[in-house]
Amino acid sequence: MSAPITAITMPQWGLTMTEGKVVNWLKPEGAAFSEGDEILEIETSKITNVVEADAAGVLRRVVAQAGATLPVGALLGVVAPETMPEAVIDEFVAGFKRNEPAAAAAVEAPAPRELEAAGTRLRFLELGSGGDVPILFLHGFGADLNSWMFNQPDLAEERRTVALDLPGHGGSAKDLARADADALVDVVEGALSELGIGRVHLAGHSLGGAVATALAVRRPERIASLTLIAPAGLGPEINQVFIDGFVRMARRKDAQEVLALLVHDPAMLSRAMVEDVLRYKRIDGVSAALERFAQAWFAGGRQLLDLRAGLAALPMPVQVIWGRDDGIIPVAHAEALGPRVAVHILPGAGHLPHMEKAREVNRLIRRFIGS
């Protein structure tokens, strides 16, 4: 029996995504590919990402050409055996019906909510309900819970997940008394209590990775596992041009130059993402909050917090994921870690591997906490 015809459709990355733009097909029509191969690039409102093959096959028909903007679930291409007649593929394309429920889900996505912890108002997004131990996501400097848009919905298919806006970021309160690690750990620990979470899998990126590590050092009995993505706190070096530039940027040109430092390929950054960051920067209290974070964590062009000894002594499983081309925190910090920590260095990724290589990062997290 020959393999069936299957559709390549517009993916839904993040619950608020309703459409995407076909940037480029990475496999030409008629090309064979293997499971995990990158097939095409899609531009979302945040960043350009790739669609990877779920299984081996042959791209028999490109339906949506580069430049086309289509809704979630729309037909982009057709995968079928080389022996499949063109007439059968024509019939499949003509009869294809978009997955309407997938598109509706993007509109009716769960909205972020608020809680108060350690006297601070915090925004959070909770998805999923399964699993014995939930996952808590902590973002990096200048980011917010939306930076997990490619990760949280995927992992929420199997367990409860919570993405938190740290103080001074996203929709959380901007009036900070302190921005040091102890103060942030107080807030995150309080948030876990407010959410009724006892033990938790922590996933933290950059500054959020340092906060996750510090929480694990303080409350190891509450942490089931620790996934650190390009974390701060594992060496003194930091790209101060990025830190200073992010704090001060106010124009699109400046924002584009600063944000380009985050990724392996600056073409991945969408115009909408740049505009979103600039809108955030214009909110009252944001500049002062970011300056406070910069002084508490990265004053003088150096990382002030060293968590290496604490990390080495942690009893729970720890994995570190890093982009080979990280331009913010050097990958050498990961390479210097001992055998106690599982280290994964991803090629073709910068400081945002959870966005640039989302599928691989999700696979690593799922395998790690499942084991």
Side-chain angles (χ1 to χ4, degrees):
M1 179 181 296
S2 62
I5 298 178
T6 57
I8 301 173
T9 60
M10 182 65 70
Q12 185 179 347
W13 291 320
L15 293 175
T16 60
M17 178 178 170
T18 58
E19 65 180 19
K21 177 181 178 181
V22 178
V23 177
N24 184 40
W25 283 89
L26 303 176
K27 296 290 183 182
E29 198 169 78
F33 51 82
S34 303
E35 179 181 356
D37 282 357
E38 297 180 349
I39 300 176
L40 76 158
E41 295 177 318
I42 299 293
E43 180 182 307
T44 73
S45 62
K46 296 292 183 184
I47 197 169
T48 298
N49 209 338
V50 296
V51 174
E52 296 182 354
D54 291 326
V58 177
L59 179 60
R60 287 293 306 276
R61 182 74 57 83
V62 170
V63 178
Q65 300 296 325
T69 297
L70 296 166
V72 166
L75 183 64
L76 305 180
V78 177
V79 178
E82 291 180 308
T83 55
M84 186 71 67
E86 290 290 336
V88 176
I89 296 176
D90 290 340
E91 183 179 354
F92 178 86
V93 172
F96 181 83
K97 294 187 183 299
R98 184 168 67 92
N99 187 345
E100 295 289 350
V107 177
E108 301 169 3
R113 294 179 285 156
E114 293 185 349
L115 58 82
E116 186 166 318
T120 302
R121 178 181 54 80
L122 303 173
R123 185 179 72 159
F124 71 98
L125 177 64
E126 182 170 353
L127 302 176
S129 59
D132 296 332
V133 180
I135 306 172
L136 177 67
F137 296 96
L138 299 175
H139 63 77
F141 175 76
D144 65 10
L145 57 80
N146 290 309
S147 66
W148 302 105
M149 61 181 290
F150 300 140
N151 318 108
Q152 187 182 11
D154 183 21
L155 295 169
E157 293 178 1
E158 300 160 7
R159 66 181 63 236
R160 181 187 182 191
T161 67
V162 177
L164 189 69
D165 278 345
L166 292 170
H169 293 75
S172 292
K174 308 299 186 296
D175 50 338
L176 306 180
R178 294 166 52 201
D180 58 276
D182 284 339
L184 294 180
V185 170
D186 288 343
V187 169
V188 175
E189 188 175 4
L192 289 175
S193 297
E194 288 295 319
L195 291 164
I197 297 175
R199 296 186 76 233
V200 67
H201 296 285
L202 288 179
H205 170 244
S206 197
L207 181 141
V211 175
T213 304
L215 176 56
V217 170
R218 182 192 289 185
R219 295 284 183 262
E221 73 282 358
R222 297 190 67 173
I223 312 305
S225 74
L226 189 60
T227 294
L228 305 175
I229 302 173
L234 300 185
E237 295 82 11
I238 185 77
N239 186 338
Q240 196 67 21
V241 171
F242 169 78
I243 301 297
D244 291 343
F246 196 96
V247 171
R248 298 184 180 127
M249 67 186 182
R251 300 180 304 168
R252 181 181 297 114
K253 180 177 183 297
D254 296 333
Q256 289 172 330
E257 292 176 356
V258 171
L259 296 177
L261 299 172
L262 288 168
V263 292
H264 165 73
D265 181 6
M268 294 182 66
L269 298 175
S270 70
R271 183 184 180 92
M273 181 178 182
V274 174
E275 294 296 339
D276 283 349
V277 172
L278 289 175
R279 277 194 294 270
Y280 161 66
K281 288 295 304 298
R282 297 185 188 112
I283 297 173
D284 286 345
V286 165
S287 293
L290 291 175
E291 181 64 41
R292 191 162 291 142
F293 271 94
Q295 289 302 312
W297 289 80
F298 312 120
R302 308 286 283 178
Q303 295 194 52
L304 304 183
L305 185 65
D306 190 341
L307 293 165
R308 285 173 287 188
L311 181 68
L314 290 175
M316 77 288 299
V318 180
Q319 71 171 344
V320 168
I321 303 171
W322 223 294
R324 169 61 69 188
D325 302 316
D326 195 323
I328 309 301
I329 304 177
V331 69
H333 292 188
E335 295 169 330
L337 295 173
R340 161 74 183 84
V341 177
V343 175
H344 308 277
I345 299 175
L346 306 185
H351 192 59
L352 304 177
H354 56 303
M355 301 186 80
E356 298 171 87
K357 298 292 181 181
R359 181 173 178 141
E360 178 62 19
V361 169
N362 293 349
R363 186 182 300 120
L364 289 169
I365 294 175
R366 181 176 285 110
R367 185 177 66 189
F368 188 63
I369 64 179
S371 64

